[in-house]
Each structure stands twice: as C-alpha cells, then as structure tokens.
Amino acid sequence: MNILAADYLITMDDERKIIRNGAVIFDSEILEISFDRELAKSKYPDAAYEYLGKNSVIMPSLINAHTHIEFSKNKTTLHYGNFIDWLTSVIEKKELTSEEELESSMADALLQMRKSGVGALGAVSSFGKDIEILSRSGLRVTLFNEILGTGEERSEEIKADFMRRFELTKRYSNEMLTPAVSIHSAYACSRTLMDFAIGFAKENSLKMCTHFMESKAERFWLDRSRGEFKAFFKAFFGIERSAIKADEFLAKFDGLDTMFVHCTHANETEFESIRNAGSYIVHCPVSNRLLGMKLFDVETAKNMRIEYITATDGLSSNFSLNLWNELRSAIFGYTDLSLKVLPYDLLKSVTLNAANALGIDSGKLEVGKKADLIGFCLPGFVDEDEYLPLQVILHTNSVDKLIVNGVSING
Ligand SMILES: [Zn+2]
C-alpha cells in the first residue's frame, strides 16, 4: 500500500473537487482519498508514505489519446499553413528516415510523453514499426492499426498487410496494450477498405478512430468532389471523385466506439450525429493551427454537450508531444473563453474524457479507479481553487512522479 500526499489534489470528479493537504492511498487501484494527509499517515503506519513538497499537486495522469509515434522524425522539413502542401511534403520526405533514426525518434517521443506525465496513449500505427517499442513503454497503449488506400486494385494486398500488423499487435497485447482499428480518413480510404475495417472492428468489438474534417480541402472534396484535393488526387492517384459523402461516412461507424479526430471543419449536423452515436471528438490545437488553419469549435461543442478530448497528434504536425504545451496552446488560441472554465475543461479533456474514450478505468481520483497518477510542484501558492487549473497549465512542463497501475515510472 502507498500513500502519496500533496498540497492540492485535483480529483476531476463529478463535483470538480479540489482537496487541499490531502492524500491518495493506493495499490494498483485507488483505495482511499484522504482529506487530511497527516491522518492518512497515522491511519496506515505500514504504508509507504511520500509527501511531494510545498505547492505540490496530484491529479490523474495525462492521456494523449491521438498520436502517431512512427512520424516522430522530419521535425523541421515539413510545409505548414496549407493542408495539401503539408500532405505533399509528408509524402515527399517519407523516404528520408532510416531505421535507426526511426527507432531513436520513437524512443525520444515516448520519453518526452513520460516526462510530461502521460500515463496512457492512443497511438495510430501505420506500418507496425512502433508495436514493439510501445509494448515495453510501461504506459497504457491503445494501438490503432491503421488502414489506408484509395485504389480498389490494391485492396487485397492492403487488407493482408493490415491483418499482419493486427496479428502482431495481438501477440503483444495484455492488460497494458489493447489492439484497435483506425480508418485513416474518408478521403484516403476506398469503400472496400472502409467496409472491411468497420466490419472487422465490429466483429471483434474493437475501438475505432478516424481523422474527420481536418481541412477546408476535405470539406470541399467530400461535399462536392472539388477544391484543392481535386488536383492532388488526380496527380497522385488518378482519382476524379470523392469515394463517399460525409454523412454516409459517419453513418458507417454506427454501433462502434469511435474517436473522430479534428472535426475543425465539421458542421453542427455532423457534431450531432457524432454525439448521438455516443462517439468522441478529439481536437489537436497545434496541428489544427499548422495544417487546417482553424481551431475546433469548443464552445459550440460544449453547448451541444459534447465532451471533447485534447491530444497532440504526431510530430509531423506538432513541435512537441508534451501535452502541457498543447493545453497552453488551447488557452492562448481560444481567446474568448473564460479562464475560470476553459482550463478545467482542458484538464478533463486529457484525463477523464480521454479515459472514457479509450475505455480505461482511470481519469479521476476516485476509489476503485486505476492508480494512474501524476505529481508535480507549482512555483508558488494558489489562493483560489478556481484558478488552480489555469496555474497548473501555465506552469507545468514535466512531472516529478508518474504512476501507472500503482507503479512509479521514471521519466
Ligand atoms: Zn492524426
């Protein structure tokens, strides 16, 4: 049994409780939340007790629900500001990464996430080269094996490659690593591959994720087979028309637990459809600024009772996998939202909401939840509880403690 004590506990519970001078008592699960750390110490004299120090904070560990570890290289060579320019630069620079560079870039990416307090992640795997390293990361991983391909003629080959990667993921799966499925997007998949992946996810009760409405180009292409994607698809793939309209694409996911990633150019009807299906929306503010030139409409989503998730996406569309940077970017991007409300919502988006989307029984400090916790110190005292989430986001870059499943993981 362990006792971890701090000056502030951000519980992320339904009452948004913040406890001062409290403690979390845990083994692999949270056994008790104490409102008095001295009392906790005397109640369990045999437990390992640790107080994290002056101005310390304990909260649930962070969850980065959407990232691409295999795209952790090419940090400075990609073209930002226009989605098609970026996509073209990703395709052109792909060959530049050697196996050694890939391995070390993935190791760096995981280290950066651990240091920042990420205890669980949703990793989209395009080639299966990240499965092994993710399996020994010590983190909870939902590994979304991705399917992608627009031409019908290569369908069988692509399906076989997907199955190979999925079987490999299954071999590594355990309590910490869960196989899942990703359809890259409506514009980058043929109907045959979409139907195959959706059928497979349904048959095997797997989580699903897909990029959706990330750019103006995608909006025009799906709605009218026009816009910047027209020349792109003609040049690269000889395709003249979008394979599917947005509403038909969304309807295919009925009955699945899906994370729709980005949705920056989605409309209210699409928000409604995602909400009514019990699915989730993930936004990635930095990536959305760099590629889609538009942030996700958090306010409308909130008014529509959509609990969104914040994530970093991969390093091909971000300068950092540190979720605190992502949350700060959101704070400075959403200039008209309250600094008493938005910071708490953002913390919830990378803890409880992300846990719910990935089906992990964590994300809040509550008895019976998995003991996935972080501890860190603020540079000073916070007098009003309602400003604590903002101060935490402004001042935190790394954590002193990352505990996953009750076990302390070194940064
Ligand atoms: Zn992505």
Side-chain angles (χ1 to χ4, degrees):
M1 184 191 281
N2 301 279
I3 304 173
L4 198 61
D7 288 2
Y8 310 94
L9 267 53
I10 305 178
T11 64
M12 308 310 303
D13 69 4
D14 299 343
E15 294 147 33
R16 305 189 161 214
K17 217 167 35 256
I18 285 166
I19 300 168
R20 292 191 180 233
N21 302 312
V24 182
I25 297 123
F26 63 94
D27 47 29
S28 65
E29 289 183 359
I30 296 175
L31 304 171
E32 190 178 325
I33 306 291
S34 172
F35 286 77
D36 184 331
R37 63 173 186 249
E38 290 306 321
L39 203 64
K41 195 175 173 182
S42 56
K43 188 174 169 187
Y44 303 105
D46 297 332
Y49 177 89
E50 187 177 1
Y51 165 56
L52 292 175
K54 206 171 172 197
N55 305 313
S56 54
V57 178
I58 298 171
M59 60 177 280
S61 61
L62 308 185
I63 301 174
N64 194 359
H66 181 76
T67 186
H68 305 250
I69 297 296
E70 288 169 311
F71 293 98
S72 295
K73 200 79 182 87
N74 284 338
K75 291 191 183 76
T76 53
T77 54
L78 299 174
H79 301 166
Y80 296 134
N82 173 287
F83 191 78
I84 302 295
D85 288 349
W86 170 79
L87 196 56
T88 308
S89 73
V90 169
I91 293 168
E92 283 169 357
K93 318 278 176 183
K94 204 162 62 180
E95 303 304 324
L96 298 177
T97 309
S98 70
E99 288 291 321
E100 296 78 47
E101 281 178 326
L102 177 66
E103 274 300 313
S104 73
S105 68
M106 290 193 295
D108 287 349
L110 286 168
L111 183 63
Q112 188 175 33
M113 283 202 272
R114 275 200 299 269
K115 278 186 173 167
S116 63
V118 167
L121 69 153
V124 177
S125 176
S126 304
F127 311 108
K129 292 186 172 175
D130 50 355
I131 300 170
E132 200 267 334
I133 197 167
L134 282 165
S135 76
R136 53 184 166 82
S137 65
L139 307 179
R140 288 187 202 281
V141 179
T142 307
L143 202 142
F144 292 93
N145 291 281
E146 186 179 56
I147 199 152
L148 177 151
T150 48
E152 296 287 354
E153 65 287 351
R154 284 188 59 229
S155 294
E156 290 310 310
E157 187 192 328
I158 293 169
K159 281 186 207 172
D161 180 62
F162 169 85
M163 286 311 300
R164 176 191 65 78
R165 290 182 280 122
F166 187 82
E167 288 303 324
L168 184 61
T169 312
K170 246 171 69 180
R171 252 185 276 154
Y172 284 96
S173 72
N174 54 33
E175 194 204 349
M176 299 297 281
L177 190 143
T178 308
V181 180
S182 167
I183 290 175
H184 178 279
S185 59
Y187 63 84
C189 261
S190 66
R191 279 174 174 269
T192 306
L193 292 179
M194 278 177 206
D195 291 340
F196 165 74
I198 283 169
F200 186 79
K202 281 185 180 166
E203 251 168 56
N204 296 283
S205 308
L206 301 166
K207 301 265 178 218
M208 171 66 88
C209 89
T210 186
H211 299 107
F212 183 67
M213 286 300 168
E214 185 176 6
S215 64
K216 205 183 198 171
E218 183 176 348
R219 180 84 263 172
F220 273 81
W221 179 246
L222 263 61
D223 287 351
R224 289 182 268 164
S225 292
R226 289 176 64 178
E228 288 181 285
F229 260 133
K230 194 166 180 75
F232 174 85
F233 274 112
K234 184 130 180 54
F236 281 96
F237 307 105
I239 289 172
E240 301 270 2
R241 297 197 64 75
S242 167
I244 198 162
K245 295 256 187 203
D247 54 350
E248 198 190 341
F249 181 69
L250 288 180
K252 282 186 182 289
F253 293 84
D254 277 354
L256 279 170
D257 268 352
T258 306
M259 292 194 304
F260 290 93
V261 182
H262 302 309
C263 299
T264 47
H265 292 71
N267 58 38
E268 286 192 27
T269 310
E270 288 156 358
F271 281 176
E272 229 170 65
S273 152
I274 291 169
R275 181 198 61 198
N276 293 345
S279 289
Y280 300 88
I281 291 179
V282 180
H283 77 140
C284 308
V286 173
S287 176
N288 298 150
R289 170 68 179 95
L290 294 177
L291 310 190
M293 303 289 282
K294 190 177 178 210
L295 295 184
F296 169 64
D297 187 350
V298 159
E299 199 169 10
T300 300
K302 202 174 168 183
N303 291 337
M304 293 177 73
R305 290 175 291 106
I306 292 170
E307 299 274 13
Y308 64 87
I309 293 154
T310 309
T312 63
D313 215 336
L315 278 176
S316 55
S317 59
N318 205 324
F319 58 94
S320 162
L321 294 178
N322 185 325
L323 259 179
W324 298 109
N325 282 336
E326 201 68 35
L327 301 184
R328 276 190 287 276
S329 299
I331 296 274
F332 292 106
Y334 294 105
T335 50
D336 48 0
L337 298 185
S338 161
L339 289 177
K340 290 182 182 174
V341 178
L342 177 66
Y344 185 90
D345 289 346
L346 289 170
L347 289 185
K348 194 174 168 210
S349 78
V350 293
T351 53
L352 187 59
N353 293 354
N356 288 339
L358 294 177
I360 304 169
D361 196 16
S362 67
K364 56 177 164 178
L365 304 184
E366 193 176 88
V367 173
K369 292 283 173 193
K370 302 274 185 205
D372 289 5
L373 313 167
I374 48 175
F376 51 90
C377 290
L378 292 172
F381 176 72
V382 179
D383 54 357
E384 304 270 349
D385 282 354
E386 64 182 348
Y387 288 108
L388 183 64
L390 173 64
Q391 295 300 343
V392 161
I393 292 173
L394 289 178
H395 290 286
T396 312
N397 283 302
S398 61
V399 299
D400 303 316
K401 271 266 171 240
L402 170 61
I403 292 166
V404 179
N405 225 16
V407 178
S408 183
I409 296 185
N410 293 331

